[in-house]
């Protein structure tokens, strides 16, 4: 869209019937029958049973019946929790506040999103001036009756006349792209299909745009078929997709993905080449002034991360971690591309460099210092100019724009502060509030502290702890510990209505910045990859031990939560230390570490996880794979698994199989429930109504299973 950063894959993981006649604990929980089949696989001489393989077929009537039966059990259980109605009402009341996206400017017009409060999807607006009333450019809420169609991306032509935009339906990663005339807010006839993991970038003349797509999947494989051989195309405005020009593909490299971006001067198409979720990429370019020119392989070794910032003719600026795991800024003259001729503009510092933009002919750099944002401004020759004063410890986003822009916008958020939008004057260095949300609560009654605790091997790991001011340490306090730890993704302070309600009820919220993430650069990331993945689980377990030993809470009152790769984290830790936690909330988790690479984009995660196809990596994966480490007769925490029927990122079979196995292994009366959302996916674009319902169910489960009375529900 308006960011100069090239996007890569992101990412960028029992028998009979349980009838909860009462929410008091029964001597024996009873669940829908899950058939065993005689499926066994041989991995390098090790036989591994997979009795629930049939649940991988999401189209079968048997799987659909199983899903329906499981949901009936789960919602029957939730319906009888007394606090559930009040929790849902409080969530709804707090969620009802105006939320703005970060504005950007193109063709003399401003564009931004806004949600009035309870709208299922945010609405895209445009205006010629910040002082006049904006008009609606696109309202995704009108695309469907249930709000399950989401605006997944958009790009404005340089003259501001046309917008290419993507729509994702029911939470799927698949997108359909269309074109809208900004002047009339009406669609033209262009229609692009089978787009996934791609943005769009217009040529300077506005006659068309570049995008990436896959081939149409085979029947029945849309939500689970493996995604290989992405291709980069050019679409000419007004023409059918069948006439689109193939710009670049690699039939010899099925795992390569391509992101195309046109430089602001319109001269070059920058092609970022990725391989799965590996942070290391290649960068190619094509001279658009010479239509017949070939693609030039500028950086072609997959030896580091290279993020294109901007260019001055043939001089290209990049953010890279080559020889600088925490990041630096370099310049490459493409007429002299040899490494000996590269120039370092801004060297690596103690902080981790996460993003760079060139505005007002100055570099604006966003760093992480112990997992919170710091922003600095440098001249084009790398001389420090100033720090950007921020409201406190939190996370910033934005600072988009073009090289000659003198204004930009950014957002600031913290655990107790929703995203406030600021306008930043690059000439004076002054920030002014553009939009500030108003909540039905007083965030000042809560405080966030940061602690550093030792992991199993002695590594110091940071953790944020948020709770009511003046709350005394007490083993009886309920606490929720969140983590992720993977794919170079940094978990920084961010606002959540759900977590605010948790704090209101008297809960403590802790966020651990585990290895595998990007908080301290590529070294921190690699310390939690592949054969080092156990470090991530050790970090999380040590975080739990720290909050218990420090009397923030106690094991029976401690819940753990994570989604995707964080769902894997929760699954691995609850199987390794079931005694340490009272409740586990694994969401859309990667639970089968032996087969994850066989579905949709799962193969891309082997850069972080490794693959069971490799003998040594198989041993490591098998040792912690949540599905394969559930043991009969063990007392596992009360567990609330969440997934969705249209999740084509981490296919729901991961959660289905894990739930079935947990239900037959659980030795205690602790429930092992799975909630399967319909017409939803991995999380992106989920309607507000569905988010409120899911959050209410999770918080209700926590209140009931941790056995505490909420302090406030009104």
């Amino acid at each position: 869209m308006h960011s100069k950063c090239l996007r890569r894959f992101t990412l960028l993981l029992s028998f009979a019937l349980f009838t909860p006649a009462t929410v008091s604990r029964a001597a024996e929980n009873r669940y829908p029958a899950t058939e065993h089949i005689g499926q066994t696989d041989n991995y390098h001489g090790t036989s591994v049973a997979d009795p629930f393989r049939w649940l991988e077929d999401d189209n079968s009537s048997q799987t659909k019946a199983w899903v329906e039966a499981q949901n009936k059990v789960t919602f029957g259980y939730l319906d009888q929790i007394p606090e559930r109605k009040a929790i849902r009402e409080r969530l709804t009341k707090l969620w009802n506040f105006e939320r703005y996206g970060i504005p950007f400017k193109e063709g003399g017009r401003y564009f931004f999103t806004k949600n009035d409060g309870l709208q299922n999807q945010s609405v895209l607006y445009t205006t010629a001036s910040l002082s006049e009333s904006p008009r609606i450019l696109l309202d995704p809420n009108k695309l469907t009756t249930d709000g399950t169609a989401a605006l997944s991306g958009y790009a404005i032509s340089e003259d501001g006349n046309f917008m290419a935009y993507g729509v994702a339906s029911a939470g799927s990663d698949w997108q359909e792209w269309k074109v809208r005339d900004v002047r009339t807010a009406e669609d033209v006839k262009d229609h692009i299909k089978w787009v996934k993991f791609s943005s769009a970038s217009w040529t300077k003349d506005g006659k068309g745009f570049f995008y990436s797509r896959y081939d149409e999947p085979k029947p029945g494989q849309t939500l689970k078929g493996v995604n290989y051989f992405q291709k980069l195309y050019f679409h000419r405005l007004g023409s059918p997709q069948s006439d689109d020009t193939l710009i670049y593909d690699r039939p010899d490299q099925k795992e390569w993905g391509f992101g195309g971006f046109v430089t602001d001067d319109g001269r070059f198409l920058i092609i970022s080449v990725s391989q799965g979720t590996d942070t290391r990429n290649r960068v190619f370019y094509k001279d658009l002034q010479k239509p017949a020119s070939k693609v030039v392989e500028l950086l072609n070794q997959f030896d580091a991360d290279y993020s294109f910032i901007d260019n001055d003719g043939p001089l290209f600026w990049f953010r890279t971690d080559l020889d600088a795991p925490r990041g630096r800024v370099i310049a490459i003259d493409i007429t002299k591309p040899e490494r000996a001729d590269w120039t370092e503009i801004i060297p690596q510092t103690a902080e981790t460099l996460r993003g760079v933009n060139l505005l007002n002919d100055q570099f604006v750099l966003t760093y992480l210092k112990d997992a919170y944002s710091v922003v600095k401004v440098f001249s084009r020759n790398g001389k420090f100019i100033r720090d950007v004063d921020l409201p406190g410890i939190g996370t910033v986003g934005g600072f988009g724009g073009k090289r000659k822009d003198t204004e930009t916008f950014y957002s600031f958020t913290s655990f107790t502060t929703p995203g406030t939008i600021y306008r930043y004057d690059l000439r004076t260095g002054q920030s002014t509030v553009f939009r500030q949300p108003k909540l039905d609560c007083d965030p000042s009654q809560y405080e966030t502290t940061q602690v550093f605790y030792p992991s199993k091997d002695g590594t110091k790991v940071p953790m944020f702890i948020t709770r009511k001011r003046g709350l005394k340490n007490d083993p009886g306090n309920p606490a929720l510990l969140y983590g992720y730890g993977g794919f170079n993704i940094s978990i920084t302070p961010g606002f959540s209505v759900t977590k605010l309600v948790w704090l209101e009820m008297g809960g403590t919220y802790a966020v651990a910045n585990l290895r595998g993430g990007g908080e301290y650069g590529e070294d921190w990331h690699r310390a939690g990859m592949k054969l080092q993945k156990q470090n991530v689980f050790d970090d999380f377990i040590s975080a739990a031990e720290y909050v218990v030993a420090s009397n923030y809470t106690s094991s029976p009152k401690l819940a753990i939560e994570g989604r995707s790769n964080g769902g894997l984290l929760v699954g691995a830790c609850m199987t390794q230390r079931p005694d340490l936690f009272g409740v586990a909330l694994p969401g859309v988790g990667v639970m089968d570490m032996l087969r994850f690479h066989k579905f949709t984009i799962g193969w891309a995660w082997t850069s972080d996880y490794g693959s069971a196809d490799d003998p040594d990596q198989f041993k490591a994966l098998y040792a912690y794979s949540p599905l394969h480490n559930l043991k009969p007769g063990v007392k596992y925490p009360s567990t609330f698994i969440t997934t969705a029927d249209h999740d084509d990122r981490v296919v729901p079979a991961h959660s289905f199989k894990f739930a079935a196995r947990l239900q037959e292994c659980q030795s205690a009366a602790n429930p092992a429930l799975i909630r399967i959302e319909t017409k939803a996916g991995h999380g992106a674009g989920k309607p507000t109504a569905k988010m409120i319902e899911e959050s209410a169910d999770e918080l209700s489960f926590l209140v009931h299973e941790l056995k505490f009375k909420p302090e406030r529900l009104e």
Side-chain angles (χ1 to χ4, degrees), residues 534 575-576 594 617-626 628-629:
Q534 183 59 41
T575 54
Q576 292 183 17
L594 305 186
Q617 293 173 0
F618 160 73
K619 292 178 182 178
L621 291 164
Y622 192 41
Y624 70 75
S625 178
H628 301 97
N629 282 279

Side-chain angles (χ1 to χ4, degrees), residues 214-226:
Y214 292 93
D215 292 334
E216 181 177 351
K218 295 178 180 179
Q221 295 295 305
T222 303
L223 296 179
K224 64 181 179 182
V226 180

Side-chain angles (χ1 to χ4, degrees), residues 48-86:
V48 179
D50 193 2
F52 306 125
R53 177 76 59 85
W54 61 272
L55 285 169
E56 293 178 359
D57 185 359
D58 57 319
N59 293 316
S60 77
S61 58
Q62 187 181 11
T63 299
K64 291 177 180 178
W66 184 90
V67 167
E68 184 178 354
Q70 290 286 347
N71 270 341
K72 183 178 180 180
V73 168
T74 297
F75 287 108
Y77 187 89
L78 294 169
D79 284 343
Q80 298 180 67
I81 297 177
E83 297 87 356
R84 186 175 177 225
K85 181 175 182 293

Side-chain angles (χ1 to χ4, degrees), residues 6-241:
L6 292 175
R7 290 164 174 80
R8 294 192 295 278
F9 292 167
T10 27
L11 323 113
L12 294 46
L13 306 111
S14 329
F15 305 98
L17 177 66
F18 168 42
T19 52
T22 172
V23 293
S24 63
R25 299 186 183 275
E28 180 183 6
N29 287 338
R30 304 169 79 80
Y31 302 96
T34 305
E35 179 187 357
H36 281 235
I37 62 173
Q39 177 68 45
T40 301
D41 300 303
N42 187 292
Y43 293 90
H44 316 289
T46 300
S47 294
V48 179
D50 193 2
F52 306 125
R53 177 76 59 85
W54 61 272
L55 285 169
E56 293 178 359
D57 185 359
D58 57 319
N59 293 316
S60 77
S61 58
Q62 187 181 11
T63 299
K64 291 177 180 178
W66 184 90
V67 167
E68 184 178 354
Q70 290 286 347
N71 270 341
K72 183 178 180 180
V73 168
T74 297
F75 287 108
Y77 187 89
L78 294 169
D79 284 343
Q80 298 180 67
I81 297 177
E83 297 87 356
R84 186 175 177 225
K85 181 175 182 293
I87 289 173
R88 183 169 54 242
E89 290 174 350
R90 182 57 180 160
L91 282 166
T92 303
K93 186 175 182 180
L94 268 183
W95 222 295
N96 193 12
F97 69 96
E98 286 187 338
R99 300 182 293 283
Y100 284 82
I102 302 170
F104 68 97
K105 197 172 186 179
E106 195 68 76
R109 302 192 63 83
Y110 292 95
F111 299 84
F112 63 90
T113 59
K114 176 192 172 186
N115 192 305
D116 290 341
L118 295 178
Q119 289 176 291
N120 278 320
Q121 304 290 341
S122 293
V123 179
L124 179 61
Y125 291 84
T126 185
T127 181
S129 168
L130 295 178
S131 61
E132 70 178 34
S133 297
R135 63 179 173 87
I136 294 175
L137 179 55
L138 178 65
D139 184 355
N141 299 290
K142 295 183 177 180
L143 299 178
T144 60
T145 57
D146 58 4
T148 56
L151 181 62
S152 55
Y154 53 98
I156 311 297
S157 61
E158 186 170 298
D159 59 12
N161 289 337
F162 291 97
M163 173 181 72
Y165 70 95
V167 174
S169 298
S172 171
D173 280 334
W174 288 114
Q175 306 168 23
E176 293 190 29
W177 281 73
K178 298 182 179 182
V179 176
R180 178 158 293 200
D181 190 319
V182 174
R183 296 160 293 188
T184 64
E186 297 290 336
D187 283 350
V188 294
K189 63 181 181 180
D190 303 68
H191 189 188
I192 309 295
K193 298 183 68 176
W194 306 118
V195 177
K196 186 183 281 196
F197 312 124
S198 175
S199 56
S201 186
W202 289 85
T203 53
K204 193 172 180 66
D205 59 12
K207 292 183 178 180
F209 55 87
F210 298 92
Y211 72 97
S212 299
R213 59 160 290 191
Y214 292 93
D215 292 334
E216 181 177 351
K218 295 178 180 179
Q221 295 295 305
T222 303
L223 296 179
K224 64 181 179 182
V226 180
N227 302 136
Y228 286 130
F229 298 111
Q230 192 180 43
K231 300 176 177 68
L232 178 63
Y233 285 91
F234 174 72
H235 174 75
R236 184 168 294 277
L237 192 61
S239 65
Q241 185 176 11

Side-chain angles (χ1 to χ4, degrees), residues 302-343:
F302 278 137
D303 58 347
D305 168 56
Y306 299 95
S307 297
F308 180 82
I309 301 168
D310 211 323
N311 70 298
D312 186 3
L315 186 67
F316 288 10
W317 290 290
F318 292 92
R319 182 268 179 204
T320 184
D321 58 14
L322 179 71
D323 301 324
R326 293 184 301 281
R328 59 178 176 144
V329 177
I330 63 171
I332 301 176
D333 186 335
I334 61 172
T335 66
K336 300 183 296 181
E338 292 77 17
R339 294 198 177 199
D341 293 316
W342 295 5
T343 303

Side-chain angles (χ1 to χ4, degrees), residues 13 22 31 39 71 139 198 240 249 341 360 376 383 399 407 451 475 514 620 622 648 664 706 712:
L13 306 111
T22 172
Y31 302 96
Q39 177 68 45
N71 270 341
D139 184 355
S198 175
D249 72 336
D341 293 316
N360 193 37
K376 298 178 181 291
K383 181 180 179 181
F399 292 103
E407 72 168 355
V451 299
L514 316 171
Y622 192 41
D648 51 1
E664 70 178 15
L706 295 179
R712 172 184 175 178

